[in-house]
Amino acid sequence: MWRHEGRGFRMADGARLVGQSGSTYELSVSMPNDADGFFGRQCPACRRLFRMQGDDYDALPDDLQLWCVYCGHHDDRADFRTEQQDARAMRAVDDVGEQIVDQLLDRALGGRTRRRPRSSSGGRAGLRLSITVTARRPAFRPKPLPAIQEEQLIRIRQCQSGGCGVRYAVFGEHRFCPVCGPLPAAVVARDALAAETTRLDALAQLPTEAAAALREQGGLTRLWVDTIENLVGVVETLAKTTFFALVTDAAQRVQGKGNVFQRLDDTATLFVDAGHPDLRDTVGVAVWQRLQQVWAARHVFTHNDGVVDARYLTRVPSSTARAGQRLTITEADCRQAIADTERLCAALATIGV
């Protein structure tokens, strides 16, 4: 469908001529939401797509800068148009441009141009010829604006920072709210742990042949070891961020202590010395002992290819392994470690609240 606009332009549904200043025309082109009320945004820096809830977006101030949920680039809202949205807008621009050229040609030719009759000397009586030049073009009919068929959301996120409340959807690991910027460290930690669980769930759903191939090549073991290493990283980041946010002289307290937030007991002692609850008491003895075993295993795999040494046996006196043996990790070990790490992260999130 199409309709007439100002200056006789024909516009496709979804496009509208809203203003003109001299030879400059201002168009409005609709960008439809999907069935869930979301529409696409694309970072001008990393070019990755995310989606925002349409009503939430419309309620934002016009001068608000958006953040890329993945890389943290922030810029004007208009700079986050997607490629498909640009293509839809350019279709309307092309339609108006073509009609402007048609109008200019009509004015230049006056609709039709005639030559005055003239005589010809070809014959006794001569011939009189009348020549008419007419410029004709078929009536312009705009093409429908292209539909937008971008990746659809799977899970809706809603920012809980400072009453922001904006709803959005992402397609990968992210660290930023599109409106208020960096996410709280506790939210990032929860997302990271959820990602580890999702990965284990996906591995469990592999076809039998694919799972067997991964197992035989050691792929499953490597993935489980990666999970253990990732859990330590999640806690290290959250503990460090929390400590520096709560303790005014945090830099002086950790000076000379190396990667103190990679060490469980030293991390707990830092918080206690700064006047905060003991994490060991908050999570309970059993959970803390299992976490110590996980942290010790991570150290062995990172620095000794999983081979048990005297340091590991000192940290895990209950272990039945002997020096020189190689530790084994199972899916069950990983799932227990994730659950225990969730308890620890929840404890860290409540410090100072």
Side-chain angles (χ1 to χ4, degrees):
M1 297 294 293
W2 49 267
R3 65 193 181 284
H4 285 282
E5 287 281 342
R7 295 182 59 87
F9 293 140
R10 296 178 175 185
M11 308 288 290
D13 281 351
R16 184 166 57 91
L17 181 65
V18 297
Q20 179 187 357
S21 177
S23 60
T24 301
Y25 297 84
E26 182 179 355
L27 302 180
S28 173
V29 181
S30 66
M31 298 297 167
N33 296 333
D34 62 20
D36 297 294
F38 285 70
F39 77 109
R41 299 282 77 188
Q42 186 171 18
C43 175
C46 71
R47 306 304 299 166
R48 296 181 66 189
L49 286 164
F50 58 98
R51 299 183 72 77
M52 295 186 66
Q53 208 280 337
D55 291 338
D56 293 353
Y57 183 85
D58 292 340
L60 298 175
D62 290 339
D63 59 350
L64 179 75
Q65 290 194 331
L66 286 185
W67 291 72
C68 172
V69 297
Y70 307 110
C71 72
H73 174 82
H74 50 287
D75 215 326
D76 294 339
R77 293 170 60 172
D79 292 331
F80 282 79
R81 299 183 310 273
T82 71
E83 293 173 2
Q84 290 190 32
Q85 289 167 355
D86 277 344
R88 181 177 171 89
M90 287 308 300
R91 171 67 61 80
V93 170
D94 290 343
D95 284 349
V96 171
E98 186 173 342
Q99 293 176 83
I100 291 173
V101 171
D102 286 348
Q103 292 179 1
L104 291 174
L105 287 173
D106 284 344
R107 288 200 296 269
L109 297 175
R112 36 187 299 188
T113 301
R114 290 197 179 108
R115 295 178 183 269
R116 289 195 300 175
R118 62 178 182 172
S119 299
S120 172
S121 58
R124 289 184 298 171
L127 294 174
R128 297 184 63 83
L129 303 178
S130 178
I131 302 174
T132 301
V133 179
T134 302
R136 293 182 178 176
R137 290 172 60 86
F140 178 84
R141 295 192 176 188
K143 306 177 186 68
L145 298 181
I148 294 177
Q149 298 177 339
E150 295 167 343
E151 188 171 3
Q152 299 301 300
L153 69 163
I154 296 176
R155 182 165 62 105
I156 297 174
R157 304 294 305 252
Q158 185 167 25
C159 181
Q160 304 296 329
S161 302
C164 171
V166 69
R167 289 164 289 179
Y168 61 99
V170 299
F171 306 100
E173 192 173 45
H174 76 294
R175 294 290 182 268
F176 303 88
C177 164
V179 173
C180 60
L183 294 172
V187 173
V188 173
R190 285 198 300 270
D191 284 351
L193 295 178
E196 294 300 329
T197 298
T198 300
R199 182 168 66 164
L200 292 178
D201 291 343
L203 289 173
Q205 296 173 11
L206 285 175
T208 303
E209 291 184 3
L214 268 178
R215 183 181 64 249
E216 292 166 8
Q217 293 296 323
L220 288 179
T221 300
R222 292 310 314 170
L223 289 169
W224 293 331
V225 170
D226 289 344
T227 296
I228 297 299
E229 293 178 343
N230 292 341
L231 296 182
V232 175
V234 168
V235 172
E236 178 186 7
T237 300
L238 177 57
K240 182 177 180 179
T241 302
T242 303
F243 190 76
F244 273 77
L246 295 175
V247 181
T248 55
D249 60 342
Q252 289 74 28
R253 289 177 180 270
V254 301
Q255 188 174 8
K257 295 184 178 180
N259 296 326
V260 62
F261 295 103
Q262 289 183 0
R263 304 190 295 272
L264 281 178
D265 281 318
D266 289 348
T267 296
T269 299
L270 273 177
F271 280 99
V272 170
D273 291 345
H276 294 288
D278 194 328
L279 293 168
R280 290 163 288 207
D281 294 336
T282 305
V283 302
V285 174
V287 171
W288 193 261
Q289 288 178 345
R290 288 196 298 268
L291 287 171
Q292 285 183 314
Q293 186 170 347
V294 170
W295 260 239
R298 175 261 176 192
H299 187 274
V300 166
F301 276 105
T302 300
H303 300 286
N304 203 32
D305 192 32
V307 177
V308 173
D309 55 14
R311 183 175 181 178
Y312 175 84
L313 294 175
T314 300
R315 290 184 175 183
V316 189
S318 61
S319 174
T320 58
R322 297 181 179 181
Q325 291 181 344
R326 196 168 188 271
L327 289 178
T328 58
I329 301 292
T330 67
E331 178 184 349
D333 293 334
C334 290
R335 291 190 182 275
Q336 182 63 65
I338 292 171
D340 291 338
T341 303
E342 287 174 343
R343 290 277 299 275
L344 178 57
C345 287
L348 283 165
T350 60
I351 293 180
V353 175

